[in-house]
Amino acid sequence: MDTRDQFIKQIEENLKGNGFPERKVSLPLEKMYEIADSKGLSFNDVLKVMKEKHGIESLLETERVIFSSAKKGSASQSAPFSFNPEELKNMDQDELKEKAQSFMKSMSPEQMAEIQKTFANMSQEEKDEIMRKGKEMGLL
């Protein structure tokens, strides 16, 4: 096994230890470039091989690289997160808790930002209702 394959194996083990492929996993971008460079590798080439041969997608952000399964990633990207306050009001506690847990496991940073933006734009009554349900479930 050559250096590149060993490095890819290390990354895959790290990802699996953090819930991959069921979850997206992020690692510090600068550190990944430094480690690859210390091994005489191009991190960009490593990412390309991971995508082509291992089905692991990567998204480079300012401070981190986000890994996702190519199989799972395409499905989750085609069905973006929707956050409808009226729908949440009509859910019972168990439904709401299940929905929240499901979304939290698969959320990208963009989706988290969307939730924060949506919550910020809600009326005070809508925010109060969500907070009340969260307290009833013991989440807050």
Side-chain angles (χ1 to χ4, degrees), residues 38-51:
S38 73
K39 297 176 181 290
L41 301 170
S42 161
F43 187 56
N44 291 334
D45 290 343
V46 168
L47 294 176
K48 184 178 177 182
V49 170
M50 290 178 74
K51 180 177 181 176

Side-chain angles (χ1 to χ4, degrees), residues 9 12 14 31 52 56 59 71 73 89 93 121 136:
K9 185 176 180 181
E12 288 177 327
N14 190 332
K31 183 165 182 116
E52 292 172 357
I56 299 174
L59 173 65
K71 296 172 195 126
K89 285 181 184 178
Q93 289 179 0
N121 291 328
E136 284 176 4

Side-chain angles (χ1 to χ4, degrees), residues 3 5 12-13 15 23 29 33 48-49 57 64 79 93 106 125-126 132 138:
T3 305
D5 291 338
E12 288 177 327
E13 288 173 3
L15 296 175
R23 302 179 79 185
L29 183 62
Y33 273 107
K48 184 178 177 182
V49 170
E57 298 281 345
R64 59 190 175 162
Q93 289 179 0
S106 62
E125 293 81 22
E126 292 169 326
R132 183 186 65 76

Side-chain angles (χ1 to χ4, degrees), residues 9-92:
K9 185 176 180 181
Q10 281 181 304
I11 294 170
E12 288 177 327
E13 288 173 3
N14 190 332
L15 296 175
K16 286 177 185 172
N18 286 290
F20 188 85
E22 293 81 20
R23 302 179 79 185
K24 292 180 181 182
V25 176
S26 67
L27 298 174
L29 183 62
E30 186 175 347
K31 183 165 182 116
M32 296 304 295
Y33 273 107
E34 289 172 358
I35 294 169
D37 187 56
S38 73
K39 297 176 181 290
L41 301 170
S42 161
F43 187 56
N44 291 334
D45 290 343
V46 168
L47 294 176
K48 184 178 177 182
V49 170
M50 290 178 74
K51 180 177 181 176
E52 292 172 357
K53 294 186 178 179
H54 301 265
I56 299 174
E57 298 281 345
S58 57
L59 173 65
L60 301 177
E61 293 190 340
T62 307
E63 295 184 15
R64 59 190 175 162
V65 56
I66 301 171
F67 294 95
S68 62
S69 171
K71 296 172 195 126
K72 183 174 172 50
S74 60
S76 64
Q77 290 170 3
S78 66
F81 177 77
S82 65
F83 191 69
N84 182 343
E86 290 303 315
E87 178 186 355
L88 296 179
K89 285 181 184 178
N90 298 322
M91 288 185 176
D92 67 28

